[in-house]
Amino acid sequence: MKKYKGFIVFTALIFGTSIISGCSREFSEKKKNEIKIGVTLYRQDDTFISSISSYLEDISKEKEQQENIKIQLDFVDAKGSTTNQGNQIDKFIKQDYDIICVNLVDRTAAATIIDKAKNANIPLVFFNREPVEEDLNRWNKVYYVGAQARQSARMQAEIIIEEWNKNKSKLDKNKDNKIQYVMLEGEPGHQDASIRTEYCIKDIDNYGIELEKLADDSANWQSDQAVNKMNQWIQEYGDEIEVVISNNDVMALGALHSINSTDVFTEKPIVVGIDGVKEALEAVNKGDLTGTVISDAKLQAKAIFDISYSLAKGLDVNNVQGINGKYVKTQHTKVTKENVDIYLADSNK
Ligand code: BGC
Ligand code: CA
């Protein structure tokens, strides 16, 4: 009997161990061969954001094939609502996603999101809408991917300065040796909107060209709002407008639409954007848009993906291209008619 009991204990031990080891092997293999990444977008219909999303999809599919791994990449649209975004993040946490990528609706709402993710031990990659540094420092598994806003402002200023130097007689319509301008701003509170607005003007001013602001207002990054604003300003200032400075391309294209729908101009104002979206590059090529500044959506998508992948696989995040602590901030490229053909073929989707 004693012998028999011993046998049972022995078999149970062997059997039990094999179940346990079987389970843990299965678990670790599942972990290794399947990654779940959740992405919440402030607005899916934003042209620049949808460009980042579609690059992310491409990069993820390519990686799946290369590494023979399953990557579930799920996008949800917060439709401009902080409440929606909060719910989406709760859901990702509940469903045990490996990584959550957040394109914040409200940059000041980052702290709550970080605390939730920290509790669940799910790393976060913020992108395009930057939380303040104090918030990023709430936890070590939090990153930010975006562009160098200050550089985009400098390049936009350079395009205007170059145009002034080349075509001053056409540009300075009232010959007062000053630039009469209107400014279309992005969403209030967005780091790219405030930095681009402030420094584009500062840089032109520091160069020594006098500016006179006729009007400036936010069109929330959106084309239709820019059309409305521009129509108002055309009614108010008409041919006085010499330059239209826009914080992004889709608003610049909206302004162009308004300008091309009227005959009040003896000489059309020049229009300059930022982002390098396809239609903007085409407009630069046609000579309608004087210039734009490419914000590298593809490289930003690559950084978002590489950070997510490294974190999910337990690899060293410091090996991600361009990373500096918790940040990847990509470089811009200045585009005018002179060099647009190089970028047209490979433009942001
Ligand atoms: C882009 C805009 C975009 C915004 C969305 C900015 O960096 O230049 O085109 O609408 O991000 O957050
Ligand atoms: Ca003038």
Side-chain angles (χ1 to χ4, degrees), residues 42 46 48-49 128-129 190 192 196 221 248 275:
Y42 95 104
D46 180 292
F48 186 70
I49 295 303
N128 173 263
R129 300 162 75 94
H190 193 302
D192 288 340
R196 287 170 184 173
W221 301 123
N248 79 348
D275 274 345

Side-chain angles (χ1 to χ4, degrees), residues 36-38 72 74 92-93 95-100 122:
K36 283 208 300 189
I37 305 174
Q72 187 182 326
D74 292 325
F92 284 146
I93 291 175
Q95 295 173 351
D96 211 19
Y97 276 70
D98 296 294
I99 308 288
I100 303 174
I122 300 175

